[in-house]
Amino acid sequence: MEYSSFLLGIIIAIYLAIDAPKHQKRPWLWAILGFLFGPIALGIYLIQTDRKVLGWIITILSILIYIIFFIIVILGVLFVSLL
């Protein structure tokens, strides 16, 4: 379970490295961005390569998930500090 985000980053990086030359993009740049930023980089890449609907869906969902995660973490820290 701990390695799921690492594995997802690798999968996204490999996909971007393979797909980027087809759209005249730099494969290493997109692979690094995909590994570091995951679904957000994938969404932005899809938007730039004229797959806008899927790109926007992935980008918005991943940002919402990150926001929810940060809210849960902040609430957890506040709850623990009150104990």
Side-chain angles (χ1 to χ4, degrees):
M1 196 68 161
E2 299 96 27
Y3 300 108
S4 61
S5 63
F6 181 73
L7 185 61
L8 180 64
I10 290 176
I11 291 170
I12 290 173
I14 291 171
Y15 170 75
L16 292 176
I18 292 171
D19 196 57
K22 297 175 189 174
H23 300 281
Q24 289 76 39
K25 304 287 184 188
R26 296 181 182 150
W28 289 106
L29 171 69
W30 282 104
I32 292 170
L33 290 173
F35 180 72
L36 293 176
F37 299 108
I40 293 177
L42 176 63
I44 292 170
Y45 174 79
L46 291 173
I47 292 169
Q48 286 191 347
T49 56
D50 293 328
R51 295 174 271 184
K52 295 185 185 312
V53 174
L54 181 60
W56 279 112
I57 290 170
I58 291 173
T59 303
I60 291 170
L61 284 177
S62 59
I63 289 172
L64 287 174
I65 289 170
Y66 285 129
I67 290 172
I68 291 169
F69 175 75
F70 286 127
I71 290 172
I72 290 171
V73 168
I74 290 171
L75 290 175
V77 168
L78 289 174
F79 180 73
V80 169
S81 67
L82 291 176
L83 293 178

